[in-house]
Amino acid sequence: MSDKDLRINEQIRVREVRLIRDDGEQQQGILSTLEALQIAKEQGLDLVEVAPNAVPPVVKILDYGKFKFENEKKVRDSKKKQKLLKLKEIRMQPKIDEHDLDFKSKHVRGFLGEGNKVKVTVRFRGREMVHTELGLDVLKDVLKRIEGEYVLDKAPAMEGRFMSMVLSPKSKK
């Protein structure tokens, strides 16, 4: 439940609520909303609806500003721990030179080392479309050069004028 869904103080429009303390223990039991709001005001805190679907709805007396800040902090921390996978693409042609193939393979190895997925694509132009087996040979050659550092997600396949395969980094255990 996000902070936007929570109702506080006068926004709570039910007759009765179940009041609990900040530590989660039941404080007063079931009270009228006005009584619960009065108790919260006396303590200088807010009345926050934490379980609106319960019968009666559950409310807590707490400092709403602090509560909201703590929740936002948790969300920020969880986003920091996420690893975004990017898909990098390396393009080449079937008539690629040995040195260029080494260079491109080194880039593929680097991208995999950073934890990114890599799409290796061979583009066919004009009469090259007749010899798609040359493109397959190029892709197999790339796989030989980066031996043991990848997991093949998508085997080499033709997509229009392109033959491509997708590699992901080998998971470290």
Side-chain angles (χ1 to χ4, degrees):
M1 176 181 262
S2 70
D3 291 340
K4 293 179 180 90
D5 298 339
L6 297 176
R7 292 186 288 203
I8 60 169
N9 298 331
E10 286 79 21
Q11 293 174 347
I12 302 170
R13 300 237 183 253
V14 289
R15 191 179 313 151
E16 290 183 327
V17 292
R18 181 177 303 275
L19 183 63
I20 56 173
R21 283 200 303 245
D22 196 15
D23 58 9
E25 288 188 34
Q26 204 162 345
Q27 185 172 349
Q28 302 287 334
I30 298 173
L31 298 170
S32 76
T33 307
L34 293 174
E35 285 179 65
L37 194 55
Q38 189 62 40
I39 294 169
K41 294 258 192 252
E42 286 171 6
Q43 295 177 12
L45 298 170
D46 299 305
L47 191 65
V48 181
E49 190 176 43
V50 290
N53 297 332
V55 180
V58 179
V59 294
K60 232 182 205 184
I61 294 177
L62 47 82
D63 183 355
Y64 184 67
K66 184 178 177 185
F67 174 74
K68 193 172 172 183
F69 174 75
E70 294 292 331
N71 278 355
E72 288 171 1
K73 194 172 167 184
K74 283 179 194 170
V75 169
R76 272 196 310 272
D77 288 345
S78 69
K79 282 184 181 177
K80 279 183 193 173
K81 291 179 181 122
Q82 286 178 349
K83 173 87 174 93
L84 291 174
L85 276 178
K86 289 185 181 165
L87 180 67
K88 302 284 191 171
E89 185 173 17
I90 299 284
R91 284 191 171 183
M92 43 189 95
Q93 294 180 342
K95 299 184 288 187
I96 190 167
D97 191 48
E98 204 58 33
H99 173 265
D100 296 330
L101 197 56
D102 276 337
F103 189 76
K104 299 269 187 175
S105 298
K106 207 174 284 183
H107 276 294
V108 170
R109 189 178 292 121
F111 289 146
L112 290 171
E114 293 168 8
N116 296 312
K117 285 189 170 198
V118 182
K119 182 176 183 180
V120 183
T121 305
V122 176
R123 183 182 67 193
F124 298 97
R125 296 187 314 203
R127 295 183 186 147
E128 293 172 349
M129 283 296 291
V130 179
H131 300 287
T132 54
E133 72 278 356
L134 295 175
L136 186 60
D137 292 341
V138 168
L139 292 177
K140 285 181 179 176
D141 202 5
V142 168
L143 291 178
K144 278 185 206 155
R145 290 168 193 256
I146 61 167
E147 193 66 47
E149 296 183 27
Y150 65 90
V151 174
L152 190 64
D153 282 359
K154 181 177 162 280
M158 283 298 292
E159 299 165 0
R161 294 191 151 291
F162 300 96
M163 180 181 282
S164 63
M165 64 182 176
V166 179
L167 309 171
S168 6
K170 206 168 226 174
S171 61
K172 294 175 179 123
K173 292 179 181 171

